[in-house]
Amino acid sequence: MSTKTMTVAGIMSGTSADGIDVAVVRIAPGRQQPKVTLLAHEGFAFPAPLRRAVLAAMNAASTSTAELARLNWRLGIAYAEAVSATIEKHAVKLDLIGCHGQTLYHQPQAASYAGRRFGCTWQLGEPALIAAVAGVPVVSNFRPGDMLAGGQGAPLVSLLDYVMFADPKRGRVLQNIGGIANLTAIPAGAAADAVVAFDTGPGNMVIDWLAQELFHQKFDRNGDLAAQGTVLPNVLAAALRNPYFKLTPPRTAGREQFGHEYAAKFLTACQRQSKKPEDALATATALTAETIAQSYKTFARRGMKGSPVDYIVSGGGARNATLMAMLAQRLGPMGCELAASEEFGLPAEAKEAAAFALLAWQTWNHLPGNVPKATGAARPAILGQVTYA
Ligand SMILES: Nc1ncnc2c1ncn2[C@@H]1O[C@H](COP(=O)(O)OP(=O)(O)O)[C@@H](O)[C@H]1O
Ligand SMILES: [Mg+2]
């Protein structure tokens, strides 16, 4: 490879719409895989009016063209400010940036529109603003390239998961719990094309909505509210019958499946069984834990072939102690050792951002970024587009 070592920032803002994570990594070419080292990580909460605007645009049945154009620009400003603050604080000099953008709509399945059938995806956040402020090229818009190769456009973290966590002796599951939860399973000694990756289902999305609706809190800090409730078994059993959980991977989920509408119905079902609001939170937390454990059992466990498995959790959900306890209870008996991403040198919030730094480096070097087995693509694809500074 004629590639060189670069310092790359990855910018991520996920479906929780909580804010922006920036990870700065050093990426060095290796014989087979690049070597990725985390240099710095910072998180930035969205200012309240921007968060409202993002949530409104994500959940709106209709919105205006001017609103979307402004939001695209405003997000670009927020990303540019986040990356500037990070490089200033850590005194790093960047060579390249990868920006995921804010997903407003993701529809991997083909549907008819204006006389043609197709799937589509849309991430906002004007990259030209970031390039102008940071003075280095920005790679953005990663998902369409995978969809045009026949993939679902997600999950795209699989390459980083493989590069950083594959182990010759131990199976590794990388479980990210953001708004949506997704896993990458890497059997011991596996080649990159043997990984399994897919969205397990809701992560914090239903929990967050209930915390807001019932307790006027952005999320259930540490899972303290859920810890005071009791899981409602009938509601949980009914929720588990959702056809999404029966889908064979590749599969992806978003607000389209588990957003406000879903959460409101879930709450109504809880309220029919119990007047205690904490019970709804306990049940939503159990839904996340149970769908993660069932997903692993049905679609990933067989490939692990009896070797010990580290089940490594990242994303904001790793901070929810009640959720982590529920996960340990279910995954332990399946031979998995639950761990937080920190224990492997990568803070829980930094992983997805680091993934988009690596994807930017791949694209810059004309290398593919998707793992076809993970997204369901027919071929490897070079992802995204470059905006020069
Ligand atoms: N201390 C905490 N206790 C419980 N949950 C937390 C905590 N910190 C973050 N979270 C959860 O993590 C979510 C954000 O996770 P993140 O990985 O950024 O998701 P996304 O990629 O969807 O933005 C929050 O909305 C919240 O539900
Ligand atoms: Mg987030």
Side-chain angles (χ1 to χ4, degrees):
M1 274 201 287
S2 61
T3 52
K4 60 180 175 106
T5 300
M6 290 176 113
T7 304
V8 189
I11 310 174
M12 179 68 202
S13 63
T15 45
S16 297
D18 56 328
I20 302 167
D21 293 297
V22 180
V24 181
V25 297
R26 181 179 298 115
I27 307 177
R31 197 143 16 110
Q32 280 178 335
Q33 308 286 342
K35 188 171 168 1
V36 180
T37 316
L38 182 72
L39 301 180
H41 162 250
E42 290 294 328
F44 303 87
F46 278 140
L50 178 53
R51 176 160 203 261
R52 271 198 299 277
V54 169
L55 286 171
M58 280 203 274
N59 295 310
S62 67
T63 178
S64 78
T65 311
E67 185 77 26
L68 292 177
R70 288 171 176 152
L71 184 57
N72 180 51
W73 212 264
R74 179 66 185 86
L75 282 165
I77 294 172
Y79 295 140
E81 289 174 353
V83 83
S84 300
T86 305
I87 55 183
E88 230 165 85
K89 179 166 173 195
H90 295 276
V92 284
K93 202 181 151 308
L94 294 182
D95 299 307
L96 184 70
I97 293 172
C99 180
H100 172 268
Q102 185 70 46
T103 296
L104 280 205
Y105 189 72
H106 186 69
Q107 178 216 308
Q109 286 79 24
S112 286
Y113 181 81
R116 293 290 181 275
R117 278 182 71 77
F118 51 85
C120 62
T121 185
W122 198 26
Q123 285 74 39
L124 257 66
E126 180 50 53
L129 286 160
I130 311 167
V133 168
V136 296
V138 176
V139 185
S140 61
N141 209 17
F142 292 91
R143 299 199 189 270
D146 177 72
M147 285 175 70
L148 290 167
Q152 305 248 321
L156 294 182
V157 293
S158 314
L159 182 67
L160 181 91
D161 285 342
Y162 184 78
V163 164
M164 288 196 78
F165 294 97
D167 190 271
K169 297 229 166 60
R170 300 183 69 88
R172 293 268 162 91
V173 180
L174 293 310
Q175 177 72 56
N176 193 72
I177 310 180
I180 291 294
N182 65 274
L183 71 74
T184 302
I186 311 169
D193 60 4
V195 309
V196 173
F198 58 95
D199 287 349
T200 54
N204 303 303
M205 197 172 267
V206 183
I207 300 171
D208 283 2
W209 189 87
L210 292 171
Q212 181 69 51
E213 188 71 15
L214 298 170
F215 297 92
H216 303 288
Q217 290 177 25
K218 260 196 256 175
F219 56 87
D220 181 10
R221 187 170 296 280
N222 301 327
D224 289 344
L225 295 167
Q228 292 161 41
T230 308
V231 177
L232 303 167
N234 295 340
V235 179
L236 180 60
L240 290 171
R241 287 195 288 271
N242 186 313
Y244 179 81
F245 305 123
K246 303 277 180 304
L247 292 175
T248 304
R251 67 184 201 197
T252 69
R255 278 191 188 272
E256 295 80 4
Q257 287 81 14
F258 300 109
H260 287 191
E261 233 174 284
Y262 177 90
K265 281 193 194 136
F266 185 87
L267 176 58
T268 307
C270 289
Q271 286 169 333
R272 268 196 220 113
Q273 305 270 323
S274 155
K275 295 216 165 3
K276 195 174 160 192
E278 287 86 351
D279 291 352
L281 272 157
T283 309
T285 308
L287 176 65
T288 295
E290 190 61 39
T291 52
I292 286 173
Q294 284 192 7
S295 295
Y296 173 72
K297 188 174 176 191
T298 314
F299 301 115
R301 189 186 184 190
R302 199 154 22 110
M304 292 303 182
K305 297 189 213 88
S307 46
V309 173
D310 296 309
Y311 206 103
I312 306 167
V313 184
S314 62
R319 307 265 174 254
N320 183 325
T322 306
L323 176 57
M324 289 294 277
M326 286 179 175
L327 276 174
Q329 214 173 41
R330 289 164 173 79
L331 292 165
M334 287 193 256
C336 297
E337 240 175 83
L338 198 68
S341 185
E342 270 76 7
E343 298 168 42
F344 288 80
L346 200 56
E349 292 82 5
K351 202 182 78 168
E352 295 234 309
F356 285 92
L358 175 61
L359 290 177
W361 187 86
Q362 294 282 122
T363 300
W364 185 255
N365 292 300
H366 299 224
L367 296 168
N370 61 340
V371 175
K373 181 92 185 301
T375 62
R379 56 176 170 81
I382 300 174
L383 305 177
Q385 58 207 42
V386 181
T387 303
Y388 289 92

